[in-house]
Amino acid sequence: MGKKMFVLIVILMSVSLIGIIAVQVFWINNALESRKEQFKNDVQKSLGSVSEKINLKEEAFFEKKIEGLIEKMGLANDAQIRNYLFQEIDTTTKQKLTFGATFLEENFKLPTDFLDSDSIIVKRISGKKDFFQSKTIKGVDNIFTNTDDKRYSFTKRYSNIEKFYTNDIFKDYINRKPIHQRISNKELNNTIKEELEKRNIYLDFKYGVYSKDGLATKLKSGYYTINKKESYPYPLFYDTEDEVSYKLYVTFPTKNEHILSGISNILLLSLLFIFIIIVAFSSSLYQLIRQKKISEIKTDFINNMTHEFKTPIATINLALDSIKNPKIINDEEKVLRYVKMIRDENKRMHLQVENVLRISRLEKNQIDLSKETIDMHDTIEDAITHISLLIDDRKGSITTHFNAIIPEINGNPFHLTNVVVNMLENAIKYSVGPPKIEVFTESTNKFFIFKIKDEGIGMSKAVQKQVFDKFYREQKGNIHDVKGHGLGLAYVKEIVEKHHGTVFVEGEKGKGSIFTVKLPLI
């Protein structure tokens, strides 16, 4: 996959993910706003019903009081009677419709102690309605006779008209009373609770009634303090000019929990799906990058292997061509030297192939890791013996500092010796001049620890994170200033982990490295 195509795929996947998450977030936000608006409407309707119920109760109380005064007075101070008559005759159908109405308007002058006024007059209006329908029919002798008469009469009292006349008196009367005398805290609290429960709002609430000037009244729950941002206001009472004189404010401390509870299941599902999408995207992106990285590493590995095999193959071919030479084939000494050269180069290729197969078998758990009690100091000494020729060839030195009190662990001597050898070879290969290597050991209550320190080229923090990955080499492509396939340290990590230990590296670029291995004691 080309770099441009890889970047394009990542960008498209990122845009798609951001778009899906944005749509989900928009939907969630929209659902929350809808719930908030619905809750607000339900509360406003409930408070409207509270205000209406309280005002109707006051009106009923006032009407009852007026009615009691009128009954107590008995006779009206004056009265008026109005009569109305309407008649319609249909000559085609021979029908006559007659409607008559009589209205009695009684005026009562209230006592002077009522509202401290001697000019308050209330009216009592009653009336009677008569409806008469008759149809004229011809008889057999062609003489007109009246048949099929219908009569209806209704008597009623016109309370709506009476209210029209007493409306101003009612407003003046109730607005003279202090608000806490018009309704009690208990009654207001119960009325609010009752109306809220009618709309399925079973929440704790706090309320307060404030005048149009913003002053608090005695009608409130506990030490209620107005919070206009969180409260729901509604007009409670009006003055004589039909302007709001008192407002009711209601606050719900657990409002947000109630709003979220309505969509909690859908909200959780949406968040779950967003999480799954993010995980799937991250996993896909990780696998894509990992596969690209593995592809590049394998390409480097193949290039390095090809280079490593070219030299022994060329040497073997050259040796075979030399042996074919008639001058040499009869020279036993030269033939044996060329045969030895072929054997050495063949052994070299075999070791390289075996190294690749070993790490593969290790990953598949196909390597026998039978364990026994071993002394790690002896194992390290044995490994140093294996690479002593390499050290001497580079005119280097290895210094040991065995400070571990308990060096015995449960492990496989063959593979642990290879671990130390690989780490020492790594220190030799990456030393510019004569290698100077130090080996330190120590022990704790639970672990045997050994460190291999060199003064080589070192490595950056980024390289330290990848140095134990299979096939990884800091130098890429067909560059072979340091030979290898990127398998040695991967093998070290696998073996150490099979022994339930850990391995890590420290150091800086140009200042050498320190490889540390921790293995559990018996």
Side-chain angles (χ1 to χ4, degrees), residues 58-93:
E58 280 194 324
E59 288 181 19
F61 175 78
F62 179 77
E63 289 172 7
K64 187 174 181 182
K65 186 176 182 68
I66 294 295
E67 193 66 32
L69 290 172
I70 291 174
E71 289 180 2
K72 188 176 180 180
M73 292 173 66
L75 298 175
N77 296 94
D78 62 76
Q80 294 179 353
I81 297 178
R82 292 186 176 87
N83 295 310
Y84 301 93
L85 180 66
F86 302 94
Q87 193 174 70
E88 180 183 294
I89 298 175
D90 189 341
T91 57
T92 303
T93 60

mmCIF file of all heavy atoms in Angstrom, residues 58-93:
data_model
loop_
_atom_site.group_PDB
_atom_site.id
_atom_site.type_symbol
_atom_site.label_atom_id
_atom_site.label_comp_id
_atom_site.label_asym_id
_atom_site.label_seq_id
_atom_site.Cartn_x
_atom_site.Cartn_y
_atom_site.Cartn_z
ATOM 1 N N GLU A 58 -61.150 31.792 45.218
ATOM 2 C CA GLU A 58 -61.378 33.135 45.773
ATOM 3 C C GLU A 58 -62.670 33.740 45.237
ATOM 4 O O GLU A 58 -63.436 34.364 45.982
ATOM 5 C CB GLU A 58 -60.190 34.045 45.431
ATOM 6 C CG GLU A 58 -58.992 33.862 46.328
ATOM 7 C CD GLU A 58 -57.989 34.988 46.200
ATOM 8 O OE1 GLU A 58 -57.811 35.495 45.085
ATOM 9 O OE2 GLU A 58 -57.396 35.368 47.226
ATOM 10 N N GLU A 59 -62.902 33.533 43.936
ATOM 11 C CA GLU A 59 -64.137 34.061 43.337
ATOM 12 C C GLU A 59 -65.361 33.403 43.964
ATOM 13 O O GLU A 59 -66.363 34.076 44.262
ATOM 14 C CB GLU A 59 -64.129 33.825 41.828
ATOM 15 C CG GLU A 59 -63.159 34.705 41.069
ATOM 16 C CD GLU A 59 -63.209 34.448 39.567
ATOM 17 O OE1 GLU A 59 -64.212 33.872 39.107
ATOM 18 O OE2 GLU A 59 -62.242 34.809 38.872
ATOM 19 N N ALA A 60 -65.285 32.096 44.165
ATOM 20 C CA ALA A 60 -66.413 31.380 44.774
ATOM 21 C C ALA A 60 -66.664 31.877 46.200
ATOM 22 O O ALA A 60 -67.824 32.051 46.630
ATOM 23 C CB ALA A 60 -66.141 29.882 44.768
ATOM 24 N N PHE A 61 -65.568 32.108 46.923
ATOM 25 C CA PHE A 61 -65.710 32.616 48.285
ATOM 26 C C PHE A 61 -66.348 34.010 48.291
ATOM 27 O O PHE A 61 -67.235 34.306 49.112
ATOM 28 C CB PHE A 61 -64.327 32.668 48.952
ATOM 29 C CG PHE A 61 -64.344 33.286 50.322
ATOM 30 C CD1 PHE A 61 -64.787 32.572 51.428
ATOM 31 C CD2 PHE A 61 -63.933 34.613 50.502
ATOM 32 C CE1 PHE A 61 -64.804 33.154 52.691
ATOM 33 C CE2 PHE A 61 -63.959 35.194 51.757
ATOM 34 C CZ PHE A 61 -64.389 34.462 52.859
ATOM 35 N N PHE A 62 -65.930 34.855 47.342
ATOM 36 C CA PHE A 62 -66.481 36.211 47.255
ATOM 37 C C PHE A 62 -67.967 36.182 46.889
ATOM 38 O O PHE A 62 -68.792 36.901 47.465
ATOM 39 C CB PHE A 62 -65.690 37.020 46.219
ATOM 40 C CG PHE A 62 -66.188 38.415 46.031
ATOM 41 C CD1 PHE A 62 -65.905 39.412 46.953
ATOM 42 C CD2 PHE A 62 -66.958 38.748 44.919
ATOM 43 C CE1 PHE A 62 -66.365 40.701 46.774
ATOM 44 C CE2 PHE A 62 -67.416 40.039 44.737
ATOM 45 C CZ PHE A 62 -67.122 41.027 45.670
ATOM 46 N N GLU A 63 -68.315 35.321 45.903
ATOM 47 C CA GLU A 63 -69.726 35.220 45.489
ATOM 48 C C GLU A 63 -70.594 34.741 46.650
ATOM 49 O O GLU A 63 -71.721 35.223 46.845
ATOM 50 C CB GLU A 63 -69.845 34.266 44.310
ATOM 51 C CG GLU A 63 -69.263 34.820 43.017
ATOM 52 C CD GLU A 63 -69.222 33.780 41.915
ATOM 53 O OE1 GLU A 63 -69.772 32.673 42.132
ATOM 54 O OE2 GLU A 63 -68.637 34.055 40.853
ATOM 55 N N LYS A 64 -70.035 33.788 47.409
ATOM 56 C CA LYS A 64 -70.801 33.276 48.547
ATOM 57 C C LYS A 64 -71.000 34.375 49.597
ATOM 58 O O LYS A 64 -72.071 34.489 50.208
ATOM 59 C CB LYS A 64 -70.062 32.083 49.149
ATOM 60 C CG LYS A 64 -70.841 31.348 50.233
ATOM 61 C CD LYS A 64 -70.089 30.102 50.673
ATOM 62 C CE LYS A 64 -70.889 29.359 51.748
ATOM 63 N NZ LYS A 64 -70.171 28.154 52.233
ATOM 64 N N LYS A 65 -69.978 35.183 49.794
ATOM 65 C CA LYS A 65 -70.067 36.279 50.776
ATOM 66 C C LYS A 65 -71.106 37.313 50.326
ATOM 67 O O LYS A 65 -71.934 37.770 51.131
ATOM 68 C CB LYS A 65 -68.691 36.935 50.923
ATOM 69 C CG LYS A 65 -68.616 37.997 52.017
ATOM 70 C CD LYS A 65 -67.196 38.524 52.148
ATOM 71 C CE LYS A 65 -67.079 39.552 53.268
ATOM 72 N NZ LYS A 65 -67.268 38.944 54.602
ATOM 73 N N ILE A 66 -71.082 37.655 49.021
ATOM 74 C CA ILE A 66 -72.060 38.619 48.475
ATOM 75 C C ILE A 66 -73.465 38.055 48.591
ATOM 76 O O ILE A 66 -74.419 38.768 48.975
ATOM 77 C CB ILE A 66 -71.710 38.957 47.010
ATOM 78 C CG1 ILE A 66 -70.374 39.714 46.925
ATOM 79 C CG2 ILE A 66 -72.823 39.770 46.365
ATOM 80 C CD1 ILE A 66 -70.388 41.071 47.578
ATOM 81 N N GLU A 67 -73.595 36.761 48.235
ATOM 82 C CA GLU A 67 -74.916 36.129 48.303
ATOM 83 C C GLU A 67 -75.457 36.142 49.730
ATOM 84 O O GLU A 67 -76.651 36.365 49.966
ATOM 85 C CB GLU A 67 -74.806 34.694 47.784
ATOM 86 C CG GLU A 67 -76.131 34.011 47.509
ATOM 87 C CD GLU A 67 -76.888 34.675 46.368
ATOM 88 O OE1 GLU A 67 -76.239 35.188 45.438
ATOM 89 O OE2 GLU A 67 -78.140 34.663 46.425
ATOM 90 N N GLY A 68 -74.544 35.923 50.688
ATOM 91 C CA GLY A 68 -74.982 35.958 52.087
ATOM 92 C C GLY A 68 -75.457 37.352 52.490
ATOM 93 O O GLY A 68 -76.462 37.491 53.225
ATOM 94 N N LEU A 69 -74.764 38.399 52.013
ATOM 95 C CA LEU A 69 -75.194 39.772 52.326
ATOM 96 C C LEU A 69 -76.550 40.077 51.705
ATOM 97 O O LEU A 69 -77.411 40.721 52.330
ATOM 98 C CB LEU A 69 -74.140 40.771 51.832
ATOM 99 C CG LEU A 69 -72.800 40.779 52.591
ATOM 100 C CD1 LEU A 69 -71.797 41.661 51.878
ATOM 101 C CD2 LEU A 69 -72.996 41.246 54.031
ATOM 102 N N ILE A 70 -76.728 39.597 50.436
ATOM 103 C CA ILE A 70 -78.009 39.864 49.761
ATOM 104 C C ILE A 70 -79.152 39.175 50.490
ATOM 105 O O ILE A 70 -80.225 39.761 50.702
ATOM 106 C CB ILE A 70 -77.917 39.399 48.286
ATOM 107 C CG1 ILE A 70 -76.961 40.316 47.505
ATOM 108 C CG2 ILE A 70 -79.291 39.387 47.629
ATOM 109 C CD1 ILE A 70 -76.696 39.858 46.092
ATOM 110 N N GLU A 71 -78.921 37.907 50.876
ATOM 111 C CA GLU A 71 -79.979 37.178 51.599
ATOM 112 C C GLU A 71 -80.277 37.839 52.933
ATOM 113 O O GLU A 71 -81.419 37.869 53.397
ATOM 114 C CB GLU A 71 -79.551 35.722 51.795
ATOM 115 C CG GLU A 71 -79.556 34.910 50.511
ATOM 116 C CD GLU A 71 -79.133 33.487 50.741
ATOM 117 O OE1 GLU A 71 -78.869 33.127 51.915
ATOM 118 O OE2 GLU A 71 -79.039 32.720 49.754
ATOM 119 N N LYS A 72 -79.243 38.374 53.548
ATOM 120 C CA LYS A 72 -79.427 39.032 54.841
ATOM 121 C C LYS A 72 -80.242 40.314 54.690
ATOM 122 O O LYS A 72 -81.074 40.653 55.546
ATOM 123 C CB LYS A 72 -78.064 39.342 55.436
ATOM 124 C CG LYS A 72 -78.117 39.857 56.862
ATOM 125 C CD LYS A 72 -76.709 40.043 57.404
ATOM 126 C CE LYS A 72 -76.749 40.562 58.842
ATOM 127 N NZ LYS A 72 -75.391 40.764 59.393
ATOM 128 N N MET A 73 -80.021 41.024 53.541
ATOM 129 C CA MET A 73 -80.761 42.269 53.299
ATOM 130 C C MET A 73 -82.217 41.989 52.937
ATOM 131 O O MET A 73 -83.101 42.792 53.195
ATOM 132 C CB MET A 73 -80.092 43.056 52.172
ATOM 133 C CG MET A 73 -78.709 43.591 52.567
ATOM 134 S SD MET A 73 -77.839 44.334 51.170
ATOM 135 C CE MET A 73 -78.902 45.758 50.868
ATOM 136 N N GLY A 74 -82.484 40.852 52.301
ATOM 137 C CA GLY A 74 -83.856 40.501 51.955
ATOM 138 C C GLY A 74 -84.314 41.192 50.687
ATOM 139 O O GLY A 74 -84.222 40.649 49.601
ATOM 140 N N LEU A 75 -84.829 42.443 50.829
ATOM 141 C CA LEU A 75 -85.367 43.169 49.691
ATOM 142 C C LEU A 75 -84.316 44.062 49.063
ATOM 143 O O LEU A 75 -83.448 44.606 49.750
ATOM 144 C CB LEU A 75 -86.562 44.023 50.129
ATOM 145 C CG LEU A 75 -87.771 43.246 50.683
ATOM 146 C CD1 LEU A 75 -88.826 44.211 51.193
ATOM 147 C CD2 LEU A 75 -88.347 42.317 49.634
ATOM 148 N N ALA A 76 -84.442 44.219 47.733
ATOM 149 C CA ALA A 76 -83.516 45.077 47.012
ATOM 150 C C ALA A 76 -83.850 46.545 47.265
ATOM 151 O O ALA A 76 -84.990 46.896 47.585
ATOM 152 C CB ALA A 76 -83.570 44.774 45.522
ATOM 153 N N ASN A 77 -82.847 47.396 47.128
ATOM 154 C CA ASN A 77 -83.082 48.831 47.277
ATOM 155 C C ASN A 77 -83.925 49.373 46.132
ATOM 156 O O ASN A 77 -84.743 50.283 46.314
ATOM 157 C CB ASN A 77 -81.755 49.583 47.338
ATOM 158 C CG ASN A 77 -80.943 49.178 48.573
ATOM 159 O OD1 ASN A 77 -80.117 48.303 48.508
ATOM 160 N ND2 ASN A 77 -81.244 49.783 49.730
ATOM 161 N N ASP A 78 -83.723 48.852 44.965
ATOM 162 C CA ASP A 78 -84.590 49.187 43.828
ATOM 163 C C ASP A 78 -84.469 48.060 42.820
ATOM 164 O O ASP A 78 -83.565 47.234 42.892
ATOM 165 C CB ASP A 78 -84.211 50.528 43.199
ATOM 166 C CG ASP A 78 -82.806 50.535 42.645
ATOM 167 O OD1 ASP A 78 -82.609 49.933 41.556
ATOM 168 O OD2 ASP A 78 -81.887 51.114 43.287
ATOM 169 N N ALA A 79 -85.438 48.040 41.859
ATOM 170 C CA ALA A 79 -85.464 46.969 40.860
ATOM 171 C C ALA A 79 -86.019 47.513 39.554
ATOM 172 O O ALA A 79 -86.747 48.515 39.530
ATOM 173 C CB ALA A 79 -86.304 45.808 41.362
ATOM 174 N N GLN A 80 -85.641 46.819 38.484
ATOM 175 C CA GLN A 80 -86.118 47.170 37.158
ATOM 176 C C GLN A 80 -86.543 45.906 36.434
ATOM 177 O O GLN A 80 -85.929 44.869 36.579
ATOM 178 C CB GLN A 80 -85.022 47.868 36.337
ATOM 179 C CG GLN A 80 -84.620 49.227 36.878
ATOM 180 C CD GLN A 80 -83.509 49.860 36.035
ATOM 181 O OE1 GLN A 80 -82.974 49.219 35.143
ATOM 182 N NE2 GLN A 80 -83.194 51.108 36.332
ATOM 183 N N ILE A 81 -87.677 46.041 35.673
ATOM 184 C CA ILE A 81 -88.164 44.917 34.875
ATOM 185 C C ILE A 81 -88.096 45.325 33.410
ATOM 186 O O ILE A 81 -88.560 46.401 33.028
ATOM 187 C CB ILE A 81 -89.606 44.531 35.256
ATOM 188 C CG1 ILE A 81 -89.648 44.053 36.717
ATOM 189 C CG2 ILE A 81 -90.134 43.442 34.312
ATOM 190 C CD1 ILE A 81 -91.050 43.711 37.186
ATOM 191 N N ARG A 82 -87.531 44.443 32.590
ATOM 192 C CA ARG A 82 -87.438 44.690 31.153
ATOM 193 C C ARG A 82 -88.102 43.525 30.422
ATOM 194 O O ARG A 82 -87.827 42.375 30.723
ATOM 195 C CB ARG A 82 -85.990 44.812 30.706
ATOM 196 C CG ARG A 82 -85.284 46.059 31.239
ATOM 197 C CD ARG A 82 -83.890 46.165 30.620
ATOM 198 N NE ARG A 82 -83.190 47.380 31.012
ATOM 199 C CZ ARG A 82 -82.450 47.528 32.086
ATOM 200 N NH1 ARG A 82 -82.290 46.489 32.908
ATOM 201 N NH2 ARG A 82 -81.868 48.675 32.373
ATOM 202 N N ASN A 83 -89.007 43.876 29.495
ATOM 203 C CA ASN A 83 -89.721 42.874 28.710
ATOM 204 C C ASN A 83 -89.318 42.988 27.237
ATOM 205 O O ASN A 83 -89.178 44.095 26.698
ATOM 206 C CB ASN A 83 -91.237 43.055 28.827
ATOM 207 C CG ASN A 83 -91.724 42.805 30.249
ATOM 208 O OD1 ASN A 83 -91.386 41.797 30.844
ATOM 209 N ND2 ASN A 83 -92.511 43.735 30.799
ATOM 210 N N TYR A 84 -89.181 41.815 26.599
ATOM 211 C CA TYR A 84 -88.832 41.774 25.176
ATOM 212 C C TYR A 84 -89.747 40.773 24.488
ATOM 213 O O TYR A 84 -90.027 39.697 25.035
ATOM 214 C CB TYR A 84 -87.372 41.347 24.984
ATOM 215 C CG TYR A 84 -86.384 42.264 25.667
ATOM 216 C CD1 TYR A 84 -85.933 41.982 26.964
ATOM 217 C CD2 TYR A 84 -85.883 43.391 25.022
ATOM 218 C CE1 TYR A 84 -85.029 42.816 27.603
ATOM 219 C CE2 TYR A 84 -84.975 44.221 25.652
ATOM 220 C CZ TYR A 84 -84.545 43.937 26.936
ATOM 221 O OH TYR A 84 -83.654 44.757 27.564
ATOM 222 N N LEU A 85 -90.226 41.136 23.292
ATOM 223 C CA LEU A 85 -91.111 40.253 22.537
ATOM 224 C C LEU A 85 -90.667 40.249 21.075
ATOM 225 O O LEU A 85 -90.511 41.296 20.448
ATOM 226 C CB LEU A 85 -92.567 40.722 22.639
ATOM 227 C CG LEU A 85 -93.590 39.870 21.875
ATOM 228 C CD1 LEU A 85 -93.696 38.466 22.495
ATOM 229 C CD2 LEU A 85 -94.968 40.552 21.882
ATOM 230 N N PHE A 86 -90.514 39.046 20.547
ATOM 231 C CA PHE A 86 -90.145 38.859 19.134
ATOM 232 C C PHE A 86 -91.145 37.887 18.525
ATOM 233 O O PHE A 86 -91.442 36.840 19.106
ATOM 234 C CB PHE A 86 -88.726 38.296 19.004
ATOM 235 C CG PHE A 86 -87.680 39.151 19.655
ATOM 236 C CD1 PHE A 86 -87.272 38.899 20.963
ATOM 237 C CD2 PHE A 86 -87.116 40.226 18.970
ATOM 238 C CE1 PHE A 86 -86.326 39.691 21.567
ATOM 239 C CE2 PHE A 86 -86.169 41.010 19.579
ATOM 240 C CZ PHE A 86 -85.758 40.755 20.874
ATOM 241 N N GLN A 87 -91.635 38.225 17.318
ATOM 242 C CA GLN A 87 -92.622 37.368 16.650
ATOM 243 C C GLN A 87 -92.282 37.257 15.169
ATOM 244 O O GLN A 87 -91.895 38.228 14.523
ATOM 245 C CB GLN A 87 -94.029 37.950 16.829
ATOM 246 C CG GLN A 87 -95.131 36.967 16.444
ATOM 247 C CD GLN A 87 -96.513 37.516 16.757
ATOM 248 O OE1 GLN A 87 -96.962 38.457 16.092
ATOM 249 N NE2 GLN A 87 -97.166 36.964 17.785
ATOM 250 N N GLU A 88 -92.452 36.033 14.643
ATOM 251 C CA GLU A 88 -92.169 35.771 13.232
ATOM 252 C C GLU A 88 -93.280 34.921 12.654
ATOM 253 O O GLU A 88 -93.657 33.906 13.225
ATOM 254 C CB GLU A 88 -90.827 35.036 13.108
ATOM 255 C CG GLU A 88 -90.433 34.724 11.683
ATOM 256 C CD GLU A 88 -89.126 33.941 11.622
ATOM 257 O OE1 GLU A 88 -88.081 34.505 11.995
ATOM 258 O OE2 GLU A 88 -89.177 32.765 11.224
ATOM 259 N N ILE A 89 -93.856 35.378 11.504
ATOM 260 C CA ILE A 89 -94.946 34.648 10.848
ATOM 261 C C ILE A 89 -94.473 34.231 9.465
ATOM 262 O O ILE A 89 -93.999 35.050 8.673
ATOM 263 C CB ILE A 89 -96.203 35.531 10.726
ATOM 264 C CG1 ILE A 89 -96.691 35.928 12.133
ATOM 265 C CG2 ILE A 89 -97.290 34.782 9.957
ATOM 266 C CD1 ILE A 89 -97.850 36.886 12.100
ATOM 267 N N ASP A 90 -94.594 32.932 9.178
ATOM 268 C CA ASP A 90 -94.231 32.388 7.883
ATOM 269 C C ASP A 90 -95.513 32.041 7.144
ATOM 270 O O ASP A 90 -96.214 31.095 7.482
ATOM 271 C CB ASP A 90 -93.373 31.133 8.073
ATOM 272 C CG ASP A 90 -92.772 30.647 6.771
ATOM 273 O OD1 ASP A 90 -93.273 31.023 5.705
ATOM 274 O OD2 ASP A 90 -91.782 29.873 6.831
ATOM 275 N N THR A 91 -95.822 32.847 6.123
ATOM 276 C CA THR A 91 -97.084 32.664 5.381
ATOM 277 C C THR A 91 -97.059 31.432 4.492
ATOM 278 O O THR A 91 -98.097 30.912 4.123
ATOM 279 C CB THR A 91 -97.362 33.906 4.520
ATOM 280 O OG1 THR A 91 -96.248 34.118 3.643
ATOM 281 C CG2 THR A 91 -97.549 35.145 5.392
ATOM 282 N N THR A 92 -95.883 30.987 4.169
ATOM 283 C CA THR A 92 -95.793 29.814 3.281
ATOM 284 C C THR A 92 -96.145 28.545 4.039
ATOM 285 O O THR A 92 -96.952 27.722 3.579
ATOM 286 C CB THR A 92 -94.378 29.698 2.701
ATOM 287 O OG1 THR A 92 -94.049 30.905 2.017
ATOM 288 C CG2 THR A 92 -94.282 28.529 1.723
ATOM 289 N N THR A 93 -95.535 28.400 5.211
ATOM 290 C CA THR A 93 -95.798 27.187 6.001
ATOM 291 C C THR A 93 -96.913 27.387 7.015
ATOM 292 O O THR A 93 -97.232 26.463 7.761
ATOM 293 C CB THR A 93 -94.516 26.788 6.741
ATOM 294 O OG1 THR A 93 -94.117 27.860 7.600
ATOM 295 C CG2 THR A 93 -93.387 26.493 5.764
#
